[in-house]
mmCIF file of all heavy atoms in Angstrom:
data_model
loop_
_atom_site.group_PDB
_atom_site.id
_atom_site.type_symbol
_atom_site.label_atom_id
_atom_site.label_comp_id
_atom_site.label_asym_id
_atom_site.label_seq_id
_atom_site.Cartn_x
_atom_site.Cartn_y
_atom_site.Cartn_z
ATOM 1 N N GLN A 1428 9.647 26.069 30.141
ATOM 2 C CA GLN A 1428 8.440 25.894 29.375
ATOM 3 C C GLN A 1428 8.404 27.039 28.333
ATOM 4 O O GLN A 1428 8.522 28.163 28.714
ATOM 5 C CB GLN A 1428 7.215 26.012 30.247
ATOM 6 C CG GLN A 1428 5.888 25.891 29.444
ATOM 7 C CD GLN A 1428 4.768 26.164 30.335
ATOM 8 O OE1 GLN A 1428 4.865 26.514 31.489
ATOM 9 N NE2 GLN A 1428 3.526 25.896 29.829
ATOM 10 N N LYS A 1429 8.206 26.700 27.099
ATOM 11 C CA LYS A 1429 8.067 27.737 26.066
ATOM 12 C C LYS A 1429 6.627 28.168 25.946
ATOM 13 O O LYS A 1429 5.751 27.507 26.319
ATOM 14 C CB LYS A 1429 8.462 27.113 24.684
ATOM 15 C CG LYS A 1429 9.955 26.793 24.599
ATOM 16 C CD LYS A 1429 10.304 26.217 23.216
ATOM 17 C CE LYS A 1429 11.729 25.886 23.089
ATOM 18 N NZ LYS A 1429 12.076 25.344 21.735
ATOM 19 N N SER A 1430 6.444 29.389 25.469
ATOM 20 C CA SER A 1430 5.095 29.924 25.309
ATOM 21 C C SER A 1430 4.418 29.136 24.178
ATOM 22 O O SER A 1430 5.070 28.518 23.312
ATOM 23 C CB SER A 1430 5.158 31.402 24.950
ATOM 24 O OG SER A 1430 5.719 31.583 23.714
ATOM 25 N N SER A 1431 3.100 29.186 24.133
ATOM 26 C CA SER A 1431 2.380 28.447 23.072
ATOM 27 C C SER A 1431 2.712 29.022 21.674
ATOM 28 O O SER A 1431 2.711 28.236 20.714
ATOM 29 C CB SER A 1431 0.864 28.583 23.318
ATOM 30 O OG SER A 1431 0.455 29.918 23.347
ATOM 31 N N ASP A 1432 2.983 30.325 21.594
ATOM 32 C CA ASP A 1432 3.313 30.903 20.279
ATOM 33 C C ASP A 1432 4.594 30.309 19.784
ATOM 34 O O ASP A 1432 4.764 29.986 18.624
ATOM 35 C CB ASP A 1432 3.431 32.394 20.467
ATOM 36 C CG ASP A 1432 2.132 33.064 20.507
ATOM 37 O OD1 ASP A 1432 1.097 32.412 20.198
ATOM 38 O OD2 ASP A 1432 2.086 34.244 20.911
ATOM 39 N N HIS A 1433 5.619 30.153 20.691
ATOM 40 C CA HIS A 1433 6.865 29.610 20.314
ATOM 41 C C HIS A 1433 6.758 28.177 19.897
ATOM 42 O O HIS A 1433 7.434 27.650 19.018
ATOM 43 C CB HIS A 1433 7.923 29.723 21.411
ATOM 44 C CG HIS A 1433 8.322 31.201 21.588
ATOM 45 N ND1 HIS A 1433 9.065 31.662 22.673
ATOM 46 C CD2 HIS A 1433 8.136 32.332 20.785
ATOM 47 C CE1 HIS A 1433 9.320 32.981 22.521
ATOM 48 N NE2 HIS A 1433 8.737 33.377 21.397
ATOM 49 N N ARG A 1434 5.930 27.408 20.633
ATOM 50 C CA ARG A 1434 5.714 25.940 20.294
ATOM 51 C C ARG A 1434 5.137 25.826 18.915
ATOM 52 O O ARG A 1434 5.513 25.021 18.153
ATOM 53 C CB ARG A 1434 4.853 25.335 21.356
ATOM 54 C CG ARG A 1434 5.562 25.061 22.698
ATOM 55 C CD ARG A 1434 4.768 24.059 23.533
ATOM 56 N NE ARG A 1434 3.346 24.442 23.777
ATOM 57 C CZ ARG A 1434 3.008 25.113 24.784
ATOM 58 N NH1 ARG A 1434 3.850 25.515 25.722
ATOM 59 N NH2 ARG A 1434 1.728 25.419 24.947
ATOM 60 N N PHE A 1435 4.125 26.671 18.606
ATOM 61 C CA PHE A 1435 3.475 26.611 17.331
ATOM 62 C C PHE A 1435 4.435 27.028 16.239
ATOM 63 O O PHE A 1435 4.441 26.367 15.177
ATOM 64 C CB PHE A 1435 2.242 27.530 17.326
ATOM 65 C CG PHE A 1435 1.519 27.502 15.956
ATOM 66 C CD1 PHE A 1435 0.782 26.468 15.559
ATOM 67 C CD2 PHE A 1435 1.670 28.614 15.115
ATOM 68 C CE1 PHE A 1435 0.165 26.437 14.348
ATOM 69 C CE2 PHE A 1435 1.026 28.593 13.938
ATOM 70 C CZ PHE A 1435 0.234 27.531 13.503
ATOM 71 N N PHE A 1436 5.240 27.977 16.491
ATOM 72 C CA PHE A 1436 6.204 28.404 15.535
ATOM 73 C C PHE A 1436 7.227 27.248 15.189
ATOM 74 O O PHE A 1436 7.542 26.966 14.027
ATOM 75 C CB PHE A 1436 6.962 29.614 15.987
ATOM 76 C CG PHE A 1436 8.035 30.146 15.044
ATOM 77 C CD1 PHE A 1436 7.672 30.748 13.875
ATOM 78 C CD2 PHE A 1436 9.367 29.961 15.335
ATOM 79 C CE1 PHE A 1436 8.643 31.206 12.931
ATOM 80 C CE2 PHE A 1436 10.321 30.458 14.403
ATOM 81 C CZ PHE A 1436 9.954 31.055 13.271
ATOM 82 N N GLY A 1437 7.696 26.613 16.221
ATOM 83 C CA GLY A 1437 8.581 25.485 16.023
ATOM 84 C C GLY A 1437 7.919 24.338 15.293
ATOM 85 O O GLY A 1437 8.542 23.693 14.397
ATOM 86 N N PHE A 1438 6.700 24.102 15.653
ATOM 87 C CA PHE A 1438 5.938 22.996 14.967
ATOM 88 C C PHE A 1438 5.733 23.319 13.518
ATOM 89 O O PHE A 1438 5.942 22.455 12.604
ATOM 90 C CB PHE A 1438 4.594 22.849 15.654
ATOM 91 C CG PHE A 1438 3.698 21.768 15.027
ATOM 92 C CD1 PHE A 1438 4.002 20.442 15.057
ATOM 93 C CD2 PHE A 1438 2.524 22.219 14.357
ATOM 94 C CE1 PHE A 1438 3.165 19.510 14.500
ATOM 95 C CE2 PHE A 1438 1.731 21.278 13.731
ATOM 96 C CZ PHE A 1438 2.037 19.925 13.822
ATOM 97 N N ALA A 1439 5.400 24.589 13.192
ATOM 98 C CA ALA A 1439 5.192 24.957 11.817
ATOM 99 C C ALA A 1439 6.513 24.861 10.995
ATOM 100 O O ALA A 1439 6.538 24.423 9.826
ATOM 101 C CB ALA A 1439 4.646 26.366 11.724
ATOM 102 N N CYS A 1440 7.624 25.222 11.555
ATOM 103 C CA CYS A 1440 8.874 25.107 10.899
ATOM 104 C C CYS A 1440 9.257 23.664 10.650
ATOM 105 O O CYS A 1440 9.760 23.293 9.582
ATOM 106 C CB CYS A 1440 9.977 25.777 11.753
ATOM 107 S SG CYS A 1440 9.888 27.588 11.796
ATOM 108 N N ALA A 1441 8.994 22.770 11.685
ATOM 109 C CA ALA A 1441 9.234 21.387 11.401
ATOM 110 C C ALA A 1441 8.383 20.724 10.330
ATOM 111 O O ALA A 1441 8.871 19.990 9.469
ATOM 112 C CB ALA A 1441 8.985 20.598 12.748
ATOM 113 N N LEU A 1442 7.151 21.222 10.278
ATOM 114 C CA LEU A 1442 6.222 20.757 9.182
ATOM 115 C C LEU A 1442 6.788 21.205 7.827
ATOM 116 O O LEU A 1442 6.748 20.489 6.806
ATOM 117 C CB LEU A 1442 4.840 21.300 9.381
ATOM 118 C CG LEU A 1442 3.923 20.520 10.323
ATOM 119 C CD1 LEU A 1442 2.572 21.202 10.405
ATOM 120 C CD2 LEU A 1442 3.775 19.086 9.919
#
Side-chain angles (χ1 to χ4, degrees):
Q1428 179 186 12
K1429 294 181 179 180
S1430 69
S1431 59
D1432 285 344
H1433 289 169
R1434 287 199 303 268
F1435 179 72
F1436 179 71
F1438 177 69
C1440 289
L1442 278 180

